[in-house]
């Protein structure tokens, strides 16, 4: 029953997202009460599917960069040679989350100009912490007895890392990637303040024109994308962990 409900929710959420992207006019009767002075109900200044694609492209590129640095950093500080750098690395990763993205944009614009550049920098910094912390936690939770067994089998450090430690840490690392992705889907909306193409453009247009219908359209699309992508990443995580034997089929 639980699985049926989950599948119905996925189908419903996906259907609503597709309607919002491609046939928003079908929902006009719900959006009209949110406008005033005969303001437009549906955002038409730019293609919503194109804005959504640009939005997800920014998120994908930034998460890929965050993942590479955070996972490598997590591996480094859990090695004997790098454990002294854990406090510094953790402080840097935390700074990415605590420093407001709007401030990052303001500082990055003079160096990179308007557009996607400042937004990618802000999203890259924002995505570091969940992936880094989960990588460190995942690697540190590997049982010492398992590591001793790997050493007893004659594995060197590199073999032990890739054959034992990373596979066992994979569920937590994937969870960090899921969290970082969802955070960045929401945070990417601020990119429109510096002329980056994305769904924040719809929300900002609504704020400027006092058009709640626009704000709702942009917010719903971003929210539904975040929910569906988080769910999809969860299914991918389950499939991967089942394949490597960390979860029962």
């Amino acid at each position: 029953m639980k699985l049926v409900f989950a599948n119905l929710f996925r189908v419903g959420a996906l259907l609503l997202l597709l309607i919002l992207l491609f046939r928003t006019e079908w929902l006009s009767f719900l959006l009209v009460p949110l406008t005033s002075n005969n303001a437009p109900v549906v955002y038409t200044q730019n293609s919503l599917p194109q804005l959504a694609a640009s939005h997800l492209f920014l998120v994908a590129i930034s998460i890929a960069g965050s993942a590479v640095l955070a996972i490598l950093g997590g591996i480094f500080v859990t090695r004997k040679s790098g454990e002294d750098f854990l406090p510094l690395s953790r402080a840097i990763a935390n700074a990415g989350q605590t420093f407001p993205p709007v401030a990052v944009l303001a500082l990055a614009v003079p160096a990179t100009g308007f557009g996607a550049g400042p937004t990618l920098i802000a999203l890259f910094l924002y995505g570091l912490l969940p992936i880094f912390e989960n990588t460190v936690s995942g690697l540190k939770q590997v049982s010492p007895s398992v590591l001793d067994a790997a050493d007893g089998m004659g594995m060197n450090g590199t073999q032990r890392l890739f054959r034992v430690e990373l596979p066992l840490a994979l569920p937590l690392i994937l969870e960090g990637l899921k969290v970082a992705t969802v955070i960045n889907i929401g945070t990417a909306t601020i990119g429109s303040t510096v002329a980056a193409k994305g769904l924040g453009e719809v929300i900002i247009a609504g704020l400027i024109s006092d058009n709640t219908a626009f704000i709702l359209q942009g917010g719903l699309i971003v929210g539904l994308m975040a929910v569906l992508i988080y769910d999809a990443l969860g299914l991918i995580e389950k499939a991967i962990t089942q394949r490597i034997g960390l979860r029962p089929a």
Side-chain angles (χ1 to χ4, degrees), residues 232-244:
L233 291 174
L235 294 175
I236 293 170
E237 174 193 352
K238 181 179 179 181
I240 292 173
T241 52
Q242 281 181 349
R243 186 176 180 82
I244 62 178

Side-chain angles (χ1 to χ4, degrees), residues 22 26 60-61 69 71 83 90 92 99 103 113 115 122 130 134 143 151 156-157 174 188 198 202 205 223 237 240 243:
F22 297 99
W26 291 0
I61 295 297
L69 182 60
I71 293 172
E83 58 188 13
R90 184 165 277 153
I92 293 171
F99 205 63
N134 278 39
S143 170
D151 291 336
N156 58 35
L174 291 175
V202 185
E237 174 193 352
I240 292 173
R243 186 176 180 82

Side-chain angles (χ1 to χ4, degrees), residues 142-150:
V142 179
S143 170
S145 61
V146 173
L147 299 179
D148 290 340

Side-chain angles (χ1 to χ4, degrees), residues 56-71 120 123-124 127-128 131 177 180-181 184:
L56 292 178
F57 178 75
L58 289 173
V59 172
I61 295 297
S62 62
I63 286 296
S66 297
V68 169
L69 182 60
I71 293 172
L120 287 171
L123 295 179
F124 166 79
L128 287 174
I131 305 173
L177 281 167
T181 300
N184 277 9

Side-chain angles (χ1 to χ4, degrees), residues 65-128:
S66 297
V68 169
L69 182 60
I71 293 172
L72 288 177
I75 292 172
F76 175 67
V77 299
T78 53
R79 305 304 96 185
K80 216 166 190 57
S81 58
E83 58 188 13
D84 291 340
F85 293 92
L86 177 58
L88 175 62
S89 301
R90 184 165 277 153
I92 293 171
N94 272 288
Q97 281 271 349
T98 56
F99 205 63
V102 174
V104 176
L105 291 178
L107 293 172
V109 164
T112 63
F114 287 89
T119 307
L120 287 171
I121 293 172
L123 295 179
F124 166 79
L125 294 174
Y126 223 56
L128 287 174

Side-chain angles (χ1 to χ4, degrees), residues 34-46:
L34 303 177
T35 62
S36 57
N37 300 321
N38 294 318
V41 175
V42 177
Y43 186 80
T44 57
Q45 282 88 328
N46 267 312

Side-chain angles (χ1 to χ4, degrees), residues 191-233:
S192 296
T193 61
V194 291
K197 284 291 182 185
L199 291 163
E201 178 180 318
V202 185
I203 298 171
I204 291 172
L207 291 171
I208 292 173
S209 62
D210 194 25
N211 189 330
T212 308
F214 286 178
I215 298 172
L216 185 62
Q217 286 170 60
L220 277 175
I221 293 171
V222 171
L224 287 168
M225 287 198 312
V227 169
L228 288 168
I229 288 173
Y230 184 86
D231 185 60
L233 291 174

